[in-house]
């Protein structure tokens, strides 16, 4: 089953079950897919491109939640949080922070960086190793752990 087929099937199910939150998110994802297909960027929607789209939407929702929380708008925070939970179902489980910390420590031991100026080198190597483990990892988490390890 292709990604588009899966989204279409989920859309039908959300309509049948009258799940307005899920329906709205699925329509948003479908619109992003159509936008991608008509942009001419690539020939085929791959799993990696799809995950990038969903992660982008997740990031936008998290920023909205932060903004609404700061503005003391709990009803909006609740709505965005519900949307976020639906979006997170499309992303594979993340790699636990303890495992990320171990990988970063291993890369630091391997590369022996000179200090904070080598942050980019360590980040690149760590992200590469984490990608081979499968799952997803937040780049900001890796960056924070690398900076901690390098003492910056």
């Amino acid at each position: 089953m292709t990604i588009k087929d899966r989204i279409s099937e989920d859309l039908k199910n959300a309509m049948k079950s009258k799940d307005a939150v899920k329906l709205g998110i699925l329509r948003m994802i479908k619109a992003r897919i159509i936008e991608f297909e008509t942009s001419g960027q690539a020939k085929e929607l791959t799993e990696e491109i799809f995950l990038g789209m969903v992660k982008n939407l997740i990031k936008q929702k998290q920023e909205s939640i932060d903004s609404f929380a700061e503005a003391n708008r709990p009803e909006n925070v609740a709505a965005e949080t519900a949307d976020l939970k639906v979006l997170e179902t499309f992303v594979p489980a993340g790699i636990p922070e303890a495992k990320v910390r171990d990988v970063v420590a291993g890369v630091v031991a391997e590369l022996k960086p000179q200090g904070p100026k080598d942050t980019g080198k360590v980040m690149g190597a760590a992200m590469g190793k984490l990608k081979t483990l499968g799952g997803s990892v937040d780049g900001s988490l890796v960056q924070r752990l690398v900076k901690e390890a390098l003492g910056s």
Side-chain angles (χ1 to χ4, degrees):
M1 178 180 280
T2 67
I3 295 166
K4 283 178 63 173
D5 293 340
R6 189 172 111 208
I7 297 298
S8 294
E9 191 64 33
D10 287 350
L11 261 168
K12 286 181 208 172
N13 293 334
M15 282 185 221
K16 288 178 183 176
S17 67
K18 296 182 180 7
D19 186 347
V21 174
K22 190 170 187 176
L23 187 60
I25 292 299
L26 289 167
R27 285 181 173 154
M28 187 185 318
I29 291 172
K30 188 169 184 175
R32 290 280 173 107
I33 291 171
I34 291 170
E35 185 180 307
F36 169 78
E37 290 176 336
T38 57
S39 71
Q41 292 177 355
K43 292 181 173 38
E44 186 179 326
L45 179 69
T46 63
E47 187 74 26
E48 189 173 314
I49 293 170
F50 175 72
L51 286 176
M53 286 178 189
V54 173
K55 286 179 183 179
N56 188 301
L57 289 169
I58 288 172
K59 184 177 180 183
Q60 289 173 357
K61 291 293 178 184
Q62 288 172 333
E63 290 170 357
S64 295
I65 290 169
D66 294 341
S67 297
F68 286 134
E70 193 174 298
N72 197 24
R73 307 275 311 261
E75 67 283 352
N76 295 85
V77 170
E80 294 293 313
T81 302
D83 289 350
L84 183 63
K85 286 180 182 176
V86 173
L87 283 169
E88 288 174 342
T89 63
F90 291 98
V91 180
I95 299 171
E97 184 174 337
K99 181 67 176 168
V100 175
R101 192 176 295 276
D102 291 344
V103 169
V104 168
V107 169
V108 168
E110 181 182 314
L111 294 180
K112 297 177 179 61
Q114 301 301 313
K117 66 180 180 167
D118 291 331
T119 300
K121 189 187 313 181
V122 175
M123 277 284 300
M127 291 299 283
K129 284 193 178 203
L130 290 165
K131 197 171 207 169
T132 63
L133 296 176
S136 65
V137 66
D138 184 21
S140 60
L141 169 66
V142 177
Q143 183 179 28
R144 180 176 55 85
L145 294 174
V146 167
K147 285 183 177 183
E148 283 177 15
L150 299 181
S152 57

